[in-house]
mmCIF file of all heavy atoms in Angstrom:
data_model
loop_
_atom_site.group_PDB
_atom_site.id
_atom_site.type_symbol
_atom_site.label_atom_id
_atom_site.label_comp_id
_atom_site.label_asym_id
_atom_site.label_seq_id
_atom_site.Cartn_x
_atom_site.Cartn_y
_atom_site.Cartn_z
ATOM 1 N N ALA A 652 196.880 369.131 20.677
ATOM 2 C CA ALA A 652 198.281 369.577 20.579
ATOM 3 C C ALA A 652 199.065 369.191 21.829
ATOM 4 O O ALA A 652 200.233 368.793 21.741
ATOM 5 C CB ALA A 652 198.346 371.085 20.352
ATOM 6 N N VAL A 653 198.430 369.286 22.991
ATOM 7 C CA VAL A 653 199.109 368.908 24.242
ATOM 8 C C VAL A 653 199.364 367.401 24.254
ATOM 9 O O VAL A 653 200.454 366.947 24.604
ATOM 10 C CB VAL A 653 198.299 369.350 25.478
ATOM 11 C CG1 VAL A 653 198.898 368.775 26.763
ATOM 12 C CG2 VAL A 653 198.237 370.867 25.562
ATOM 13 N N VAL A 654 198.363 366.609 23.861
ATOM 14 C CA VAL A 654 198.533 365.155 23.842
ATOM 15 C C VAL A 654 199.657 364.784 22.886
ATOM 16 O O VAL A 654 200.509 363.946 23.208
ATOM 17 C CB VAL A 654 197.209 364.444 23.473
ATOM 18 C CG1 VAL A 654 197.441 362.947 23.280
ATOM 19 C CG2 VAL A 654 196.171 364.681 24.569
ATOM 20 N N THR A 655 199.686 365.403 21.705
ATOM 21 C CA THR A 655 200.743 365.060 20.742
ATOM 22 C C THR A 655 202.100 365.616 21.157
ATOM 23 O O THR A 655 203.121 365.195 20.612
ATOM 24 C CB THR A 655 200.383 365.526 19.310
ATOM 25 O OG1 THR A 655 200.130 366.928 19.317
ATOM 26 C CG2 THR A 655 199.187 364.766 18.784
ATOM 27 N N TYR A 656 202.129 366.510 22.122
ATOM 28 C CA TYR A 656 203.409 366.932 22.694
ATOM 29 C C TYR A 656 204.029 365.766 23.473
ATOM 30 O O TYR A 656 205.239 365.564 23.456
ATOM 31 C CB TYR A 656 203.205 368.147 23.605
ATOM 32 C CG TYR A 656 204.429 368.520 24.408
ATOM 33 C CD1 TYR A 656 205.498 369.204 23.818
ATOM 34 C CD2 TYR A 656 204.540 368.176 25.752
ATOM 35 C CE1 TYR A 656 206.630 369.535 24.554
ATOM 36 C CE2 TYR A 656 205.660 368.497 26.490
ATOM 37 C CZ TYR A 656 206.702 369.175 25.881
ATOM 38 O OH TYR A 656 207.827 369.497 26.609
ATOM 39 N N TYR A 657 203.179 365.009 24.153
ATOM 40 C CA TYR A 657 203.654 363.898 24.973
ATOM 41 C C TYR A 657 203.763 362.585 24.202
ATOM 42 O O TYR A 657 204.560 361.719 24.550
ATOM 43 C CB TYR A 657 202.736 363.702 26.184
ATOM 44 C CG TYR A 657 202.821 364.838 27.161
ATOM 45 C CD1 TYR A 657 201.842 365.819 27.196
ATOM 46 C CD2 TYR A 657 203.897 364.954 28.029
ATOM 47 C CE1 TYR A 657 201.929 366.884 28.078
ATOM 48 C CE2 TYR A 657 203.991 365.997 28.914
ATOM 49 C CZ TYR A 657 203.012 366.970 28.937
ATOM 50 O OH TYR A 657 203.112 368.024 29.801
ATOM 51 N N PHE A 658 202.929 362.423 23.186
ATOM 52 C CA PHE A 658 202.890 361.177 22.417
ATOM 53 C C PHE A 658 202.860 361.504 20.935
ATOM 54 O O PHE A 658 202.046 362.317 20.495
ATOM 55 C CB PHE A 658 201.654 360.346 22.798
ATOM 56 C CG PHE A 658 201.637 359.955 24.247
ATOM 57 C CD1 PHE A 658 200.952 360.716 25.182
ATOM 58 C CD2 PHE A 658 202.320 358.834 24.683
ATOM 59 C CE1 PHE A 658 200.947 360.364 26.523
ATOM 60 C CE2 PHE A 658 202.321 358.477 26.022
ATOM 61 C CZ PHE A 658 201.643 359.245 26.940
ATOM 62 N N ALA A 659 203.695 360.853 20.176
ATOM 63 C CA ALA A 659 203.847 361.176 18.758
ATOM 64 C C ALA A 659 202.580 360.919 17.958
ATOM 65 O O ALA A 659 202.245 361.673 17.044
ATOM 66 C CB ALA A 659 205.009 360.374 18.165
ATOM 67 N N ASP A 660 201.861 359.839 18.290
ATOM 68 C CA ASP A 660 200.693 359.455 17.511
ATOM 69 C C ASP A 660 199.888 358.430 18.303
ATOM 70 O O ASP A 660 200.217 358.100 19.446
ATOM 71 C CB ASP A 660 201.106 358.895 16.138
ATOM 72 C CG ASP A 660 202.136 357.772 16.246
ATOM 73 O OD1 ASP A 660 202.233 357.125 17.315
ATOM 74 O OD2 ASP A 660 202.850 357.534 15.261
ATOM 75 N N LYS A 661 198.833 357.905 17.662
ATOM 76 C CA LYS A 661 197.979 356.929 18.338
ATOM 77 C C LYS A 661 198.776 355.688 18.743
ATOM 78 O O LYS A 661 198.574 355.139 19.826
ATOM 79 C CB LYS A 661 196.806 356.540 17.440
ATOM 80 C CG LYS A 661 195.896 355.516 18.077
ATOM 81 C CD LYS A 661 194.702 355.171 17.225
ATOM 82 C CE LYS A 661 193.880 354.087 17.904
ATOM 83 N NZ LYS A 661 192.652 353.781 17.182
ATOM 84 N N ARG A 662 199.657 355.243 17.883
ATOM 85 C CA ARG A 662 200.453 354.049 18.183
ATOM 86 C C ARG A 662 201.253 354.256 19.467
ATOM 87 O O ARG A 662 201.352 353.362 20.306
ATOM 88 C CB ARG A 662 201.376 353.765 17.004
ATOM 89 C CG ARG A 662 202.056 352.418 17.039
ATOM 90 C CD ARG A 662 202.926 352.293 15.810
ATOM 91 N NE ARG A 662 203.377 350.948 15.561
ATOM 92 C CZ ARG A 662 204.522 350.675 14.962
ATOM 93 N NH1 ARG A 662 205.312 351.639 14.538
ATOM 94 N NH2 ARG A 662 204.885 349.427 14.763
ATOM 95 N N ASP A 663 201.831 355.431 19.628
ATOM 96 C CA ASP A 663 202.596 355.768 20.827
ATOM 97 C C ASP A 663 201.678 355.790 22.052
ATOM 98 O O ASP A 663 202.048 355.315 23.133
ATOM 99 C CB ASP A 663 203.286 357.122 20.624
ATOM 100 C CG ASP A 663 204.361 357.411 21.657
ATOM 101 O OD1 ASP A 663 204.867 356.465 22.288
ATOM 102 O OD2 ASP A 663 204.712 358.597 21.808
ATOM 103 N N LEU A 664 200.461 356.313 21.893
ATOM 104 C CA LEU A 664 199.480 356.297 22.986
ATOM 105 C C LEU A 664 199.161 354.865 23.413
ATOM 106 O O LEU A 664 199.141 354.543 24.605
ATOM 107 C CB LEU A 664 198.179 356.972 22.547
ATOM 108 C CG LEU A 664 198.099 358.481 22.590
ATOM 109 C CD1 LEU A 664 196.842 358.956 21.874
ATOM 110 C CD2 LEU A 664 198.118 358.987 24.016
ATOM 111 N N LEU A 665 198.912 354.012 22.420
ATOM 112 C CA LEU A 665 198.574 352.629 22.717
ATOM 113 C C LEU A 665 199.732 351.899 23.395
ATOM 114 O O LEU A 665 199.536 351.129 24.340
ATOM 115 C CB LEU A 665 198.170 351.892 21.433
ATOM 116 C CG LEU A 665 196.910 352.379 20.737
ATOM 117 C CD1 LEU A 665 196.688 351.610 19.442
ATOM 118 C CD2 LEU A 665 195.701 352.300 21.648
ATOM 119 N N LEU A 666 200.920 352.161 22.928
ATOM 120 C CA LEU A 666 202.103 351.541 23.514
ATOM 121 C C LEU A 666 202.260 351.951 24.976
ATOM 122 O O LEU A 666 202.594 351.128 25.834
ATOM 123 C CB LEU A 666 203.339 351.930 22.711
ATOM 124 C CG LEU A 666 204.577 351.069 22.871
ATOM 125 C CD1 LEU A 666 204.295 349.614 22.578
ATOM 126 C CD2 LEU A 666 205.678 351.597 21.963
ATOM 127 N N SER A 667 201.975 353.209 25.278
ATOM 128 C CA SER A 667 202.076 353.675 26.664
ATOM 129 C C SER A 667 201.069 352.958 27.556
ATOM 130 O O SER A 667 201.372 352.613 28.701
ATOM 131 C CB SER A 667 201.881 355.193 26.743
ATOM 132 O OG SER A 667 200.515 355.533 26.526
ATOM 133 N N ALA A 668 199.871 352.715 27.031
ATOM 134 C CA ALA A 668 198.856 352.001 27.804
ATOM 135 C C ALA A 668 199.271 350.556 28.028
ATOM 136 O O ALA A 668 199.087 350.003 29.116
ATOM 137 C CB ALA A 668 197.506 352.069 27.087
ATOM 138 N N PHE A 669 199.835 349.935 27.009
ATOM 139 C CA PHE A 669 200.306 348.557 27.142
ATOM 140 C C PHE A 669 201.384 348.477 28.226
ATOM 141 O O PHE A 669 201.380 347.571 29.061
ATOM 142 C CB PHE A 669 200.852 348.071 25.799
ATOM 143 C CG PHE A 669 201.267 346.632 25.811
ATOM 144 C CD1 PHE A 669 200.325 345.627 25.839
ATOM 145 C CD2 PHE A 669 202.603 346.275 25.801
ATOM 146 C CE1 PHE A 669 200.705 344.292 25.855
ATOM 147 C CE2 PHE A 669 202.994 344.956 25.814
ATOM 148 C CZ PHE A 669 202.034 343.952 25.842
ATOM 149 N N ARG A 670 202.282 349.435 28.228
ATOM 150 C CA ARG A 670 203.336 349.457 29.254
ATOM 151 C C ARG A 670 202.769 349.719 30.642
ATOM 152 O O ARG A 670 203.297 349.224 31.643
ATOM 153 C CB ARG A 670 204.397 350.476 28.865
ATOM 154 C CG ARG A 670 205.212 350.012 27.668
ATOM 155 C CD ARG A 670 206.164 351.059 27.169
ATOM 156 N NE ARG A 670 206.960 350.537 26.064
ATOM 157 C CZ ARG A 670 207.578 351.293 25.175
ATOM 158 N NH1 ARG A 670 207.512 352.610 25.244
ATOM 159 N NH2 ARG A 670 208.278 350.732 24.200
ATOM 160 N N ALA A 671 201.678 350.486 30.726
ATOM 161 C CA ALA A 671 201.024 350.721 32.019
ATOM 162 C C ALA A 671 200.480 349.410 32.581
ATOM 163 O O ALA A 671 200.537 349.174 33.796
ATOM 164 C CB ALA A 671 199.913 351.754 31.870
ATOM 165 N N LEU A 672 199.962 348.544 31.709
ATOM 166 C CA LEU A 672 199.526 347.218 32.161
ATOM 167 C C LEU A 672 200.696 346.431 32.740
ATOM 168 O O LEU A 672 200.570 345.772 33.768
ATOM 169 C CB LEU A 672 198.923 346.431 30.996
ATOM 170 C CG LEU A 672 197.469 346.688 30.636
ATOM 171 C CD1 LEU A 672 197.093 345.901 29.387
ATOM 172 C CD2 LEU A 672 196.546 346.343 31.776
ATOM 173 N N GLY A 673 201.839 346.493 32.062
ATOM 174 C CA GLY A 673 203.030 345.805 32.558
ATOM 175 C C GLY A 673 203.472 346.323 33.916
ATOM 176 O O GLY A 673 203.913 345.553 34.777
ATOM 177 N N GLU A 674 203.334 347.622 34.125
ATOM 178 C CA GLU A 674 203.706 348.214 35.418
ATOM 179 C C GLU A 674 202.792 347.703 36.527
ATOM 180 O O GLU A 674 203.249 347.431 37.643
ATOM 181 C CB GLU A 674 203.654 349.739 35.331
ATOM 182 C CG GLU A 674 203.967 350.458 36.613
ATOM 183 C CD GLU A 674 205.365 350.194 37.169
ATOM 184 O OE1 GLU A 674 206.241 349.680 36.444
ATOM 185 O OE2 GLU A 674 205.578 350.502 38.353
ATOM 186 N N ARG A 675 201.519 347.533 36.226
ATOM 187 C CA ARG A 675 200.597 346.971 37.225
ATOM 188 C C ARG A 675 201.065 345.584 37.648
ATOM 189 O O ARG A 675 201.027 345.231 38.823
ATOM 190 C CB ARG A 675 199.187 346.861 36.649
ATOM 191 C CG ARG A 675 198.457 348.153 36.499
ATOM 192 C CD ARG A 675 197.061 347.899 35.982
ATOM 193 N NE ARG A 675 196.329 349.119 35.786
ATOM 194 C CZ ARG A 675 195.052 349.162 35.427
ATOM 195 N NH1 ARG A 675 194.370 348.041 35.239
ATOM 196 N NH2 ARG A 675 194.443 350.317 35.257
ATOM 197 N N ASN A 676 201.506 344.789 36.690
ATOM 198 C CA ASN A 676 201.979 343.440 36.993
ATOM 199 C C ASN A 676 203.236 343.487 37.856
ATOM 200 O O ASN A 676 203.388 342.693 38.784
ATOM 201 C CB ASN A 676 202.225 342.661 35.697
ATOM 202 C CG ASN A 676 202.537 341.213 35.979
ATOM 203 O OD1 ASN A 676 203.693 340.853 36.161
ATOM 204 N ND2 ASN A 676 201.517 340.387 36.029
ATOM 205 N N ARG A 677 204.127 344.421 37.568
ATOM 206 C CA ARG A 677 205.356 344.528 38.359
ATOM 207 C C ARG A 677 205.042 344.869 39.815
ATOM 208 O O ARG A 677 205.651 344.330 40.745
ATOM 209 C CB ARG A 677 206.292 345.585 37.767
ATOM 210 C CG ARG A 677 207.659 345.624 38.476
ATOM 211 C CD ARG A 677 208.424 346.908 38.216
ATOM 212 N NE ARG A 677 207.719 348.097 38.627
ATOM 213 C CZ ARG A 677 207.568 348.503 39.891
ATOM 214 N NH1 ARG A 677 208.067 347.804 40.897
ATOM 215 N NH2 ARG A 677 206.906 349.611 40.166
ATOM 216 N N ILE A 678 204.083 345.741 40.032
ATOM 217 C CA ILE A 678 203.703 346.126 41.396
ATOM 218 C C ILE A 678 203.167 344.916 42.167
ATOM 219 O O ILE A 678 203.493 344.703 43.336
ATOM 220 C CB ILE A 678 202.677 347.288 41.356
ATOM 221 C CG1 ILE A 678 203.371 348.565 40.866
ATOM 222 C CG2 ILE A 678 202.027 347.498 42.715
ATOM 223 C CD1 ILE A 678 202.431 349.690 40.498
ATOM 224 N N LYS A 679 202.337 344.099 41.501
ATOM 225 C CA LYS A 679 201.827 342.877 42.135
ATOM 226 C C LYS A 679 202.980 341.942 42.499
ATOM 227 O O LYS A 679 203.011 341.351 43.580
ATOM 228 C CB LYS A 679 200.871 342.154 41.191
ATOM 229 C CG LYS A 679 199.590 342.893 40.919
ATOM 230 C CD LYS A 679 198.816 342.180 39.827
ATOM 231 C CE LYS A 679 197.642 342.996 39.358
ATOM 232 N NZ LYS A 679 196.939 342.348 38.243
ATOM 233 N N PHE A 680 203.919 341.797 41.564
ATOM 234 C CA PHE A 680 205.079 340.934 41.814
ATOM 235 C C PHE A 680 205.847 341.415 43.036
ATOM 236 O O PHE A 680 206.190 340.614 43.919
ATOM 237 C CB PHE A 680 205.996 340.930 40.588
ATOM 238 C CG PHE A 680 207.355 340.359 40.867
ATOM 239 C CD1 PHE A 680 207.526 338.987 41.001
ATOM 240 C CD2 PHE A 680 208.458 341.185 41.014
ATOM 241 C CE1 PHE A 680 208.779 338.453 41.272
ATOM 242 C CE2 PHE A 680 209.706 340.660 41.288
ATOM 243 C CZ PHE A 680 209.867 339.296 41.414
ATOM 244 N N ASP A 681 206.148 342.712 43.108
ATOM 245 C CA ASP A 681 206.922 343.253 44.222
ATOM 246 C C ASP A 681 206.281 342.926 45.565
ATOM 247 O O ASP A 681 206.972 342.570 46.517
ATOM 248 C CB ASP A 681 207.091 344.772 44.074
ATOM 249 C CG ASP A 681 208.053 345.164 42.972
ATOM 250 O OD1 ASP A 681 208.788 344.296 42.451
ATOM 251 O OD2 ASP A 681 208.070 346.362 42.594
ATOM 252 N N ALA A 682 204.955 343.039 45.633
ATOM 253 C CA ALA A 682 204.263 342.757 46.891
ATOM 254 C C ALA A 682 204.341 341.270 47.245
ATOM 255 O O ALA A 682 204.581 340.913 48.401
ATOM 256 C CB ALA A 682 202.803 343.200 46.793
ATOM 257 N N CYS A 683 204.169 340.404 46.257
ATOM 258 C CA CYS A 683 204.131 338.957 46.535
ATOM 259 C C CYS A 683 205.512 338.364 46.778
ATOM 260 O O CYS A 683 205.660 337.450 47.593
ATOM 261 C CB CYS A 683 203.438 338.235 45.388
ATOM 262 S SG CYS A 683 201.675 338.613 45.268
ATOM 263 N N ILE A 684 206.534 338.872 46.107
ATOM 264 C CA ILE A 684 207.886 338.317 46.301
ATOM 265 C C ILE A 684 208.445 338.750 47.659
ATOM 266 O O ILE A 684 209.296 338.070 48.229
ATOM 267 C CB ILE A 684 208.849 338.711 45.151
ATOM 268 C CG1 ILE A 684 210.086 337.803 45.115
ATOM 269 C CG2 ILE A 684 209.276 340.163 45.245
ATOM 270 C CD1 ILE A 684 209.871 336.422 44.613
ATOM 271 N N ALA A 685 207.935 339.860 48.188
ATOM 272 C CA ALA A 685 208.415 340.361 49.478
ATOM 273 C C ALA A 685 207.840 339.571 50.651
ATOM 274 O O ALA A 685 208.324 339.697 51.776
ATOM 275 C CB ALA A 685 208.076 341.839 49.632
ATOM 276 N N SER A 686 206.814 338.763 50.416
ATOM 277 C CA SER A 686 206.227 337.947 51.490
ATOM 278 C C SER A 686 207.249 336.927 51.974
ATOM 279 O O SER A 686 208.178 336.574 51.267
ATOM 280 C CB SER A 686 204.989 337.200 50.974
ATOM 281 O OG SER A 686 203.993 338.095 50.596
ATOM 282 N N ASP A 687 207.047 336.443 53.197
ATOM 283 C CA ASP A 687 207.937 335.426 53.744
ATOM 284 C C ASP A 687 207.093 334.230 54.174
ATOM 285 O O ASP A 687 206.404 334.296 55.186
ATOM 286 C CB ASP A 687 208.713 335.987 54.929
ATOM 287 C CG ASP A 687 209.755 335.014 55.440
ATOM 288 O OD1 ASP A 687 210.146 334.109 54.667
ATOM 289 O OD2 ASP A 687 210.179 335.154 56.597
ATOM 290 N N PRO A 688 207.093 333.131 53.414
ATOM 291 C CA PRO A 688 207.835 332.903 52.171
ATOM 292 C C PRO A 688 207.174 333.634 50.998
ATOM 293 O O PRO A 688 206.029 334.065 51.111
ATOM 294 C CB PRO A 688 207.734 331.377 51.976
ATOM 295 C CG PRO A 688 206.449 331.003 52.650
ATOM 296 C CD PRO A 688 206.301 331.951 53.813
ATOM 297 N N PRO A 689 207.895 333.759 49.891
ATOM 298 C CA PRO A 689 207.320 334.431 48.721
ATOM 299 C C PRO A 689 206.000 333.764 48.312
ATOM 300 O O PRO A 689 205.882 332.544 48.335
ATOM 301 C CB PRO A 689 208.391 334.245 47.642
ATOM 302 C CG PRO A 689 209.663 334.068 48.411
ATOM 303 C CD PRO A 689 209.268 333.316 49.661
ATOM 304 N N ASP A 690 205.013 334.598 47.963
ATOM 305 C CA ASP A 690 203.655 334.114 47.711
ATOM 306 C C ASP A 690 203.409 333.911 46.213
ATOM 307 O O ASP A 690 202.789 334.741 45.548
ATOM 308 C CB ASP A 690 202.661 335.117 48.296
ATOM 309 C CG ASP A 690 201.218 334.630 48.242
ATOM 310 O OD1 ASP A 690 200.989 333.466 47.847
ATOM 311 O OD2 ASP A 690 200.335 335.432 48.595
ATOM 312 N N LEU A 691 203.885 332.791 45.686
ATOM 313 C CA LEU A 691 203.699 332.476 44.276
ATOM 314 C C LEU A 691 202.221 332.349 43.930
ATOM 315 O O LEU A 691 201.768 332.890 42.922
ATOM 316 C CB LEU A 691 204.438 331.181 43.917
ATOM 317 C CG LEU A 691 204.218 330.621 42.507
ATOM 318 C CD1 LEU A 691 204.585 331.645 41.444
ATOM 319 C CD2 LEU A 691 205.023 329.328 42.322
ATOM 320 N N LEU A 692 201.461 331.656 44.762
ATOM 321 C CA LEU A 692 200.038 331.497 44.490
ATOM 322 C C LEU A 692 199.348 332.864 44.464
ATOM 323 O O LEU A 692 198.521 333.135 43.583
ATOM 324 C CB LEU A 692 199.387 330.575 45.517
ATOM 325 C CG LEU A 692 197.879 330.347 45.359
ATOM 326 C CD1 LEU A 692 197.546 329.784 43.981
ATOM 327 C CD2 LEU A 692 197.367 329.425 46.460
ATOM 328 N N GLY A 693 199.697 333.725 45.401
ATOM 329 C CA GLY A 693 199.107 335.064 45.425
ATOM 330 C C GLY A 693 199.419 335.844 44.161
ATOM 331 O O GLY A 693 198.564 336.556 43.627
ATOM 332 N N TYR A 694 200.648 335.708 43.661
ATOM 333 C CA TYR A 694 201.039 336.402 42.437
ATOM 334 C C TYR A 694 200.244 335.879 41.242
ATOM 335 O O TYR A 694 199.707 336.651 40.449
ATOM 336 C CB TYR A 694 202.541 336.232 42.192
ATOM 337 C CG TYR A 694 203.046 336.924 40.950
ATOM 338 C CD1 TYR A 694 202.896 338.289 40.783
ATOM 339 C CD2 TYR A 694 203.678 336.198 39.945
ATOM 340 C CE1 TYR A 694 203.370 338.930 39.642
ATOM 341 C CE2 TYR A 694 204.154 336.828 38.805
ATOM 342 C CZ TYR A 694 203.997 338.193 38.656
ATOM 343 O OH TYR A 694 204.470 338.817 37.523
ATOM 344 N N LEU A 695 200.144 334.569 41.127
ATOM 345 C CA LEU A 695 199.381 333.994 40.016
ATOM 346 C C LEU A 695 197.911 334.386 40.113
ATOM 347 O O LEU A 695 197.290 334.733 39.098
ATOM 348 C CB LEU A 695 199.543 332.475 39.994
ATOM 349 C CG LEU A 695 200.959 331.941 39.768
ATOM 350 C CD1 LEU A 695 200.970 330.415 39.843
ATOM 351 C CD2 LEU A 695 201.547 332.421 38.457
ATOM 352 N N MET A 696 197.341 334.363 41.307
ATOM 353 C CA MET A 696 195.947 334.777 41.489
ATOM 354 C C MET A 696 195.759 336.242 41.092
ATOM 355 O O MET A 696 194.756 336.594 40.469
ATOM 356 C CB MET A 696 195.510 334.573 42.955
ATOM 357 C CG MET A 696 195.349 333.140 43.383
ATOM 358 S SD MET A 696 193.930 332.307 42.631
ATOM 359 C CE MET A 696 192.560 333.190 43.372
ATOM 360 N N ALA A 697 196.734 337.084 41.432
ATOM 361 C CA ALA A 697 196.639 338.515 41.118
ATOM 362 C C ALA A 697 196.702 338.777 39.619
ATOM 363 O O ALA A 697 196.263 339.834 39.163
ATOM 364 C CB ALA A 697 197.749 339.278 41.840
ATOM 365 N N MET A 698 197.238 337.836 38.864
ATOM 366 C CA MET A 698 197.310 338.009 37.409
ATOM 367 C C MET A 698 196.053 337.523 36.702
ATOM 368 O O MET A 698 195.897 337.744 35.503
ATOM 369 C CB MET A 698 198.519 337.261 36.837
ATOM 370 C CG MET A 698 199.840 337.903 37.152
ATOM 371 S SD MET A 698 201.199 337.269 36.145
ATOM 372 C CE MET A 698 201.059 335.509 36.283
#
């Protein structure tokens, strides 16, 4: 009941996990683009 309070169904749960993967990628990007010069190779390696 608590889980379904936060997520409508299994599909919603799966979608949240997929978006969590995307957030991991964004964090890697933020770190690599902030380098001087920006670290494109580091970003690609991190993916």
Side-chain angles (χ1 to χ4, degrees):
V653 172
V654 173
T655 57
Y656 171 77
Y657 292 101
F658 299 95
D660 53 23
K661 179 177 177 175
R662 192 180 194 210
D663 194 21
L664 278 169
L665 295 177
L666 199 55
S667 73
F669 184 73
R670 289 174 177 159
L672 277 175
E674 178 61 16
R675 287 183 182 185
N676 188 271
R677 186 198 59 75
I678 290 167
K679 293 172 189 176
F680 166 75
D681 288 348
C683 292
I684 198 73
S686 297
D687 186 21
D690 187 6
L691 173 57
L692 179 57
Y694 180 59
L695 298 177
M696 289 290 293
M698 287 195 310

